[in-house]
Amino acid sequence: MISIIIPCYNEEEMIPLFYNEINKVIKEMKKVKFELIFVNDGSSDNTLELLRKLSKDDKKVRYISFSRNFGKEAGILAGLEASKGDYVATMDVDLQDPPYLLKEMYETIQNEEIDCVATRSVSRKGYSFFRKIFTKMYYKIINKISKTPIVDGARDFRLMTRKMVDAVLKLKEYNRFSKGIFSWVGFDTKWITFENEKRVKGTSKWSFWKLFAYSMESIIGFSTVPLLISSIVGIVFCLVSFIMIIVIIVRTLIYGDPVAGWPSLVCIIFFVSGIQLFCIGVLGQYLSKTYLEVKNRPIYIIKETENDI
Ligand code: UDP
Ligand code: MG
C-alpha cells in the first residue's frame, strides 16, 4: 500500500482537481492499494467540508483536521504519523508536483532497491525575479555552512519506504525543516528532475517574508556556523583594537597629542556596537529556538479526523 500525504491550507479550488488527477494515476496502478491522507491545516474556506465529503464517498480518502494553522511542516508530520502504507509519498495539492510521476517513482523504488525517490524542479517558472535570486543565494549559503546537504530545487514531493518514514519520525524536533530532516536521516535517495509547473488555481501561501523567515529557520536548525562567525568577528575586532591602541600610544609619544579624531571615534563606536548587536541577535536566534524546543509543546493539535464522522 502507498500512503499519499497532502497538506492543504485554503485549497477548496484545488482539491477536486487534485482528486481527479490522482485518481487517474491510481487507476493506472492497479496492483497497488492506496490511501490518501489530506491534512487540513486550519483552513478558513470550504476545505474541511470537501474533505469530509470525499472521505464519506471514497473509503481510501482519510483526513486530519488541525485546530488552527500549524504550517505545512506540521501537516507533513501529522500525515507521516498517521500513515499506514508500506510506502509513503508527500505532495502538494496545487498540482505543482505532477501526480503522473508517482508511477515512475514507484517503479524506481521497487526496481533499484533504494529507500527514497525524491524530486527536484530544474526551472523556477512562475517565481518572481527576486525570489529566484534569493533562492539561489540561499542554497549556496546553506550548503556552505551546513553539514547536511540541502539539494537545490528539491521539492517536498517524494516517495519513501516505511523504514525511512520511521527514521524521520524519530526526529522529534519542534522547529521542523523537512528538506533537512529527510537529508539528515540518510538512506539511499534517487533524485528525478522535472520542469517546474505553475500553480493551477489559488495562490501561493508563501510571501517573501514568510520564505525569508523559513530560510533563516533552516539555517539555524541545520548549522551552528553563524555562532562561529560571531565569535571570529569578535576576535578580529579585539585584535584590530589592540593594534590601534599600540599605534596611538606610539604616535602620542612621538608627535604629542593634537586632540583630533572625534568624528572617526564616533564612527568606530557606531560600527562596533552595530556588530555587537548583530552578534547578540545571532545568539538570540539560537536561544529562541532552544526555548521553543525546551517548552516541548505539541507540533500540531488535531481537531477532527475521518473517524469522527
Ligand atoms: N500549505 C499548508 N499550510 C500552510 C501553507 C501551505 O498546508 O501554512 C500547503 C498548501 O496547501 C500546498 C502546499 O502546502 O498544498 C504548498 O503550498 P504553496 O503552493 O502555497 O507553496 P509554493 O508551491 O508556493 O512553495
Ligand atoms: Mg505550490
Side-chain angles (χ1 to χ4, degrees):
M1 180 160 87
I2 301 181
S3 308
I4 304 180
I5 296 161
I6 313 117
C8 307
Y9 177 47
N10 293 340
E11 302 279 8
E12 58 180 4
E13 289 181 301
M14 278 315 303
I15 287 173
L17 296 173
F18 174 83
Y19 182 65
N20 248 346
E21 287 297 316
I22 199 79
N23 263 330
K24 281 185 206 160
V25 179
I26 291 176
K27 267 198 198 114
E28 270 179 45
M29 298 168 69
K30 281 194 194 75
K31 281 188 203 141
V32 194
K33 261 180 79 183
F34 277 90
E35 97 181 325
L36 302 179
I37 307 177
F38 289 90
V39 183
N40 172 34
D41 187 10
S43 306
S44 51
D45 64 358
N46 254 331
T47 299
L48 180 57
E49 275 87 76
L50 276 173
L51 295 181
R52 279 190 194 130
K53 204 173 158 297
L54 275 186
S55 82
K56 242 188 217 157
D57 300 343
D58 185 345
K59 274 280 142 284
K60 70 176 179 297
V61 175
R62 301 172 55 195
Y63 71 88
I64 297 168
S65 185
F66 287 171
S67 59
R68 65 168 169 87
N69 180 257
F70 280 92
K72 182 182 177 184
E73 297 291 346
I76 290 179
L77 176 70
L80 290 178
E81 281 179 347
S83 66
K84 297 183 188 136
D86 312 296
Y87 296 95
V88 181
T90 53
M91 63 197 299
D92 290 358
V93 75
D94 57 6
L95 296 178
Q96 279 184 315
D97 301 331
Y100 64 83
L101 275 179
L102 264 179
K103 203 172 160 204
E104 183 188 331
M105 287 160 81
Y106 179 66
E107 276 159 15
T108 314
I109 210 168
Q110 287 228 308
N111 298 338
E112 300 190 15
E113 286 194 10
I114 45 177
D115 308 285
C116 176
V117 181
T119 60
R120 48 187 291 252
S121 56
V122 277
S123 63
R124 297 213 162 85
K125 248 192 279 171
Y127 281 23
S128 73
F129 177 69
F130 276 112
R131 188 164 167 184
K132 271 185 208 160
I133 291 185
F134 272 96
T135 317
K136 222 176 165 175
M137 250 167 50
Y138 163 75
Y139 281 112
K140 263 216 179 111
I141 294 175
I142 186 130
N143 278 311
K144 276 242 163 70
I145 65 177
S146 161
K147 280 190 202 119
T148 310
I150 310 288
V151 174
D152 187 356
R155 297 197 53 90
D156 289 331
F157 179 24
R158 49 173 75 227
L159 181 70
M160 294 165 279
T161 57
R162 175 51 46 191
K163 258 191 199 151
M164 179 157 172
V165 174
D166 289 342
V168 167
L169 289 179
K170 283 208 183 102
L171 274 74
K172 299 272 179 220
E173 59 211 71
Y174 182 83
N175 299 286
R176 294 188 83 80
F177 176 61
S178 286
K179 286 189 182 105
I181 290 176
F182 287 132
S183 170
W184 189 91
V185 293
F187 292 95
D188 298 323
T189 300
K190 180 170 179 181
W191 290 90
I192 54 178
T193 55
F194 67 91
E195 280 274 323
N196 187 34
E197 275 162 59
K198 276 197 185 140
R199 188 177 241 283
V200 177
K201 275 213 169 102
T203 47
S204 169
K205 310 293 179 297
W206 295 90
S207 65
F208 179 78
W209 284 112
K210 238 178 149 181
L211 269 178
F212 184 74
Y214 185 60
S215 65
M216 287 299 135
E217 222 161 82
S218 69
I219 290 178
I220 306 278
F222 279 88
S223 168
T224 48
V225 169
L227 287 174
L228 184 68
I229 293 176
S230 314
S231 314
I232 292 174
V233 169
I235 292 170
V236 168
F237 269 72
C238 282
L239 283 178
V240 169
S241 67
F242 190 67
I243 294 167
M244 271 161 72
I245 289 170
I246 292 174
V247 168
I248 287 169
I249 289 176
V250 170
R251 203 181 62 181
T252 314
L253 286 179
I254 298 175
Y255 298 108
D257 185 21
V259 183
W262 186 82
S264 54
L265 197 64
V266 171
C267 292
I268 291 169
I269 290 176
F270 265 93
F271 181 59
V272 174
S273 33
I275 298 272
Q276 271 175 352
L277 283 179
F278 174 77
C279 292
I280 295 175
V282 171
L283 201 63
Q285 287 297 319
Y286 283 91
L287 189 65
S288 72
K289 295 292 169 229
T290 315
Y291 179 54
L292 287 173
E293 296 289 351
V294 168
K295 278 207 264 195
N296 213 359
R297 286 187 178 163
I299 297 168
Y300 57 83
I301 293 171
I302 296 177
K303 190 175 165 194
E304 180 186 324
T305 67
E306 78 277 354
N307 298 323
D308 295 328
I309 51 169

